[in-house]
Amino acid sequence: MLERKVLDKYYPPDFDPSKIPKLKLPKDWQYVVRLTAPFNMRCKTCGEYVYRGKKFSARKETVQNESYLGLPIFRFYIKCTRCLAEIAFKTDPENTDYTMEHGATRNFQAEKLLEEEEKRVQKEREDEELNNPMKVLESRTKDSKLEMEVLESLQEPKGLSQRRAHVDFEAMLRQHRLSEEERQRQEQEEDERETAALVEESRKRRLLEDSDSEEDTTPTQPQPALQPNPTAILDETPKAKRKAESWERSVGALGSRPQLSGLVVKKTGLDSIIRRGRAPPLPGAMKNGQAMPSMSSLSQLGVYSDSEDSSGSN
C-alpha cells in the first residue's frame, strides 16, 4: 500500500524506455472527465433545468477537422439528471465560450446578448468608415472631443495632487494635535464645573433635609412652672415704700399748699378704717337722732386743714 505513494520508482540498470510498446488509440477516442455545466440549460426531452455549476462525469473527445488558430476544439457529452438523455456541447475559443449542439437549449443570458450587440455595432461602424470618408472624419472629431474631455477630467485630480504637494503635513498634524488638546482641556473643565455644581447642589439638598428632619424630631420643651420665691416677701416693703414716694411726688406736684399732702394722708387713714370694717359717717347722717346738715367738699377740706393746723401748733 505504501509503494504506490512514493515519488521515485526503481528503474533497473538495463531499463530501456524505447522497448516499451506505444498504445495506439484512434483519433476520436473518448475520455471520461469530471466537469461542471458551463451555462444554464433545459433538457429538450423532459424539460428539466440544468443549472450552471452542476457537476457531471462527461465524455470528452476532440472534434475532427475543426480548430481555431491552431487550437483544438473539444466536445463533451453529459446526461440529463432526470431522463438520462444525452446532451452535447463544445468549446468556442473564438468567443471564449461554449456552444450548445443538441439535447438541450441554452437559457437566456442578457450579458451575452449585450456583448453580441456591441460587437455588431462596432463591425457596422468599421464597414461604414471604409466606404464613407466623411464618416471617418466625423468619427475622428468625436474621438478627439472625447479624448479632450477625458484629459480635462484627469487634469482636476492632477491639480489637486499638485496643491497637495505644497501642503505642510507636519504643520497640519501639529495644528490638529493642538486643537485636539484644547478641545480635551475644555471638555475636562466643563466636566469639572458640572461635577462641582452637582456636589454643591447635593450638599444644599442634604442640609435642607437635615434641618427639616431636626425640626420634625425635636419635641417642644414644656415651660417650667413658676416656683414661689421665699425671699419675695422681703422685697415687698421697699416696693411699697417706692410706691408711696412716687405717689407723694405726684400729689405734691398738684399744688404748692402743704394742706393737700395732709389731705392725702387723712384719706389714706380713711382707707385704712374702711379696710377694718368701720365706715366713716356720711355727710348729712343723723347724730343722736337728728339729721346733721350736709357739708360740701370745700367745707370738709377746710375742716381737715384746720385740724392739721391745730395739731401742728400743739
Side-chain angles (χ1 to χ4, degrees), residues 108-123:
F108 174 76
Q109 289 184 348
E111 294 179 0
K112 183 176 179 59
L113 294 178
L114 181 61
E115 291 176 358
E116 292 178 354
E117 184 67 20
E118 290 178 356
K119 290 179 180 180
R120 185 183 62 81
V121 171
Q122 184 68 19
K123 187 176 181 179

Side-chain angles (χ1 to χ4, degrees), residues 10-17 19:
Y10 174 72
Y11 296 97
D14 56 349
F15 175 75
D16 187 4
K19 296 181 179 180

Side-chain angles (χ1 to χ4, degrees), residues 25-33 57-64 74-79 86 88 102:
L25 298 176
K27 293 182 179 180
D28 56 351
W29 181 261
Q30 295 181 352
Y31 299 92
V32 177
V33 295
S57 295
R59 291 180 288 113
K60 172 187 173 183
E61 68 177 7
T62 304
V63 180
Q64 301 297 324
F74 301 99
R75 183 181 289 115
F76 302 93
Y77 300 93
I78 60 174
K79 292 184 178 180
E86 189 176 64
H102 66 85

Side-chain angles (χ1 to χ4, degrees), residues 272-302:
S272 62
I273 295 171
I274 291 171
R275 290 195 197 96
R276 292 194 210 94
R278 291 181 296 177
L282 295 173
M286 294 181 67
K287 184 179 182 182
N288 297 328
Q290 296 180 0
M292 294 181 65
S294 61
M295 301 176 64
S296 63
S297 299
L298 293 175
S299 60
Q300 291 179 0
L301 182 59

Side-chain angles (χ1 to χ4, degrees), residues 212-224:
D212 295 340
S213 61
E214 289 178 1
E215 291 178 358
D216 296 339
T217 56
T218 303
T220 57
Q221 297 180 358
Q223 296 291 338

Side-chain angles (χ1 to χ4, degrees), residues 125-144:
R125 181 181 177 183
E126 292 176 357
D127 295 341
E128 187 176 3
E129 289 178 354
L130 291 175
N131 300 325
N132 191 356
M134 295 299 297
K135 191 68 176 178
V136 176
L137 183 60
E138 291 178 1
S139 300
R140 290 180 180 177
T141 305
K142 289 181 180 180
D143 293 341
S144 61

Side-chain angles (χ1 to χ4, degrees), residues 261-272:
S261 61
L263 178 61
V264 172
V265 172
K266 297 298 181 179
K267 285 188 177 182
T268 56
L270 291 175
D271 293 338
S272 62

Side-chain angles (χ1 to χ4, degrees), residues 37 39-52 78 80-83 85-87 100 102-108:
F39 47 79
N40 300 329
M41 64 188 79
R42 184 181 182 185
C43 180
K44 290 183 178 180
T45 305
C46 62
E48 178 71 12
Y49 285 95
V50 178
Y51 297 98
R52 178 181 179 182
I78 60 174
C80 177
T81 56
R82 184 176 180 182
C83 63
E86 189 176 64
I87 301 173
M100 177 62 65
H102 66 85
T105 57
R106 186 169 181 171
N107 292 353
F108 174 76

